[in-house]
Amino acid sequence: MTLPSVTRTVDGSGTGRDTHPLLTVLLAQLIYAAGLLGGLLLYQTLGAALAGTRPSPPLIAVFAVLQQVIGHAPIFLLLWAWVRFYERRPFAASLGLTWGRLAWKQHAAGFGLGVAFIAGWLALQAAIGNLGVDGTMAAPGVPVAALAYLLPAFYLSRIVMISIEEILYRGWILRSATARWGAPAGIAISSGAFALFHFAGPLMLIFPLHRFTWVLAANLVLWSVLAALLTLMGGSLWAALAFHATPLWLASHVFVVTAPGQGTPPLAIVLLSQPQASPLLGEPATAGPFTGLPTTLLLALLCGAAYATYRRRRTRVTPAAG
């Protein structure tokens, strides 16, 4: 996709009206908070409907997807209403979720980059002696054949969960800030807001999943910068969405790092430990692959490569755009 089409998608030019970038940051939190409360109520309804049901791998796969769809549906609905009735834009197209063959290619590219990120993270942790293999196929009661639908279902559930973050921060905030103040400001505002969301956002105030460290905060900023560059280069969210979801999926179900006394996770293809776990070296956590200075180095290298590619593509198409 050439830069002119990227600009039409990301910067909000054309029909409709833009929400002020700073207002999008505030509204993103309010929409997320209100939608989260509604999602929790719907999730409880789903749990009550399935109460007493004997768990089985097929039911677990279905429940994993339904849990995320139902839990996030109110957030999508509220954002859709704002974009549709205030900004007067088509929801999916204006926020970078256009469908087509290119979407699949970009998703595949983001998936590959996510796999490469996990491979690099594992290699760096092993290089500093902070990675041990404690077992394989640590999935009590889960038949190997069930992995054929459990793993795709868990990936799909991650996509649903991550999509709202990508739509809010890369699809909405990045687009709005880029339209008004340019790409550097858009990247800075969306990345700062994204990092802050993981420590002081509505979900974290209810369920404090992440312990603040400067290294983790820096890594979240770098991660968001990389996702923003992918979005600007591709003109859609598909690459950033897959790149965001894939490492979390792999770290939750394939290469799973556990802390001492944590017990065996429900599903882990390879069970790992970190004997020198610390915020600086990396540690088991909800944001496990995003902790530690080795991850900082890896993300800095990826950001540098992405920025060089972005500048090269932009330079190549600018004369034609004039």
Side-chain angles (χ1 to χ4, degrees):
M1 181 178 291
T2 61
L3 187 61
S5 57
V6 171
T7 303
R8 287 196 296 271
T9 302
V10 176
D11 71 5
S13 59
T15 60
R17 56 181 174 184
D18 283 318
T19 305
H20 192 281
L22 300 183
L23 183 57
T24 62
V25 175
L26 175 61
L27 283 175
Q29 310 314 309
L30 296 177
I31 288 172
Y32 196 98
L36 179 64
L37 292 176
L40 288 174
L41 294 176
L42 291 175
Y43 175 71
Q44 289 178 350
T45 303
L46 175 64
L50 295 176
T53 305
R54 183 178 179 181
S56 63
L59 183 62
I60 292 172
V62 172
F63 180 79
V65 178
L66 284 179
Q67 175 187 5
Q68 299 299 335
V69 171
I70 291 175
H72 290 82
I75 306 176
F76 283 100
L77 181 61
L78 290 172
L79 182 58
W80 170 84
W82 181 270
V83 172
R84 174 66 179 84
F85 296 107
Y86 177 79
E87 295 190 354
R88 298 173 186 172
R89 302 176 189 276
F91 179 77
S94 67
L95 296 181
L97 286 176
T98 52
W99 294 94
R101 183 179 300 176
L102 184 61
W104 289 105
K105 291 182 178 179
Q106 291 179 344
H107 190 97
F111 181 89
L113 187 59
V115 172
F117 170 80
I118 285 294
W121 171 72
L122 291 171
L124 287 172
Q125 290 295 317
I128 63 175
N130 195 30
L131 192 69
V133 178
D134 294 346
T136 56
M137 285 306 298
V142 178
V144 175
L147 298 178
Y149 51 84
L150 279 176
L151 287 177
F154 290 154
Y155 181 74
L156 182 58
S157 71
R158 282 289 179 182
I159 287 290
V160 174
M161 181 188 76
I162 291 304
S163 63
I164 191 58
E165 293 185 22
E166 290 301 322
I167 289 173
L168 286 173
Y169 290 93
R170 254 69 69 182
W172 196 31
I173 296 175
L174 174 64
R175 186 205 70 198
S176 177
T178 298
R180 185 172 293 254
W181 295 317
I187 293 172
I189 291 171
S190 62
S191 298
F194 177 78
L196 186 61
F197 166 79
H198 284 79
F199 301 111
L203 179 61
M204 305 310 153
L205 295 177
I206 299 174
F207 306 108
L209 301 177
H210 305 298
R211 179 168 57 92
F212 178 84
T213 67
W214 287 109
V215 175
L216 177 56
N219 289 349
L220 288 171
V221 170
L222 287 171
W223 180 270
S224 186
V225 168
L226 181 53
L229 288 170
L230 291 174
T231 302
L232 291 171
M233 282 190 290
S236 81
L237 292 179
W238 293 112
L241 177 57
F243 175 56
H244 194 164
T246 301
L248 295 177
W249 170 65
L250 291 172
S252 298
H253 305 294
V254 181
F255 302 103
V256 183
V257 180
T258 58
Q262 183 177 334
T264 303
L267 176 60
I269 306 301
V270 181
L271 192 61
L272 304 169
S273 61
Q274 292 179 305
Q276 303 180 52
S278 73
L280 291 180
L281 293 180
E283 58 185 346
T286 306
F290 308 103
T291 63
L293 289 174
T295 296
T296 309
L297 173 61
L298 180 59
L299 287 174
L301 292 173
L302 290 174
C303 282
Y307 179 70
T309 304
Y310 171 70
R311 286 294 300 271
R312 185 168 60 251
R313 291 186 181 181
R314 184 178 181 183
T315 302
R316 186 169 63 242
V317 302
T318 296

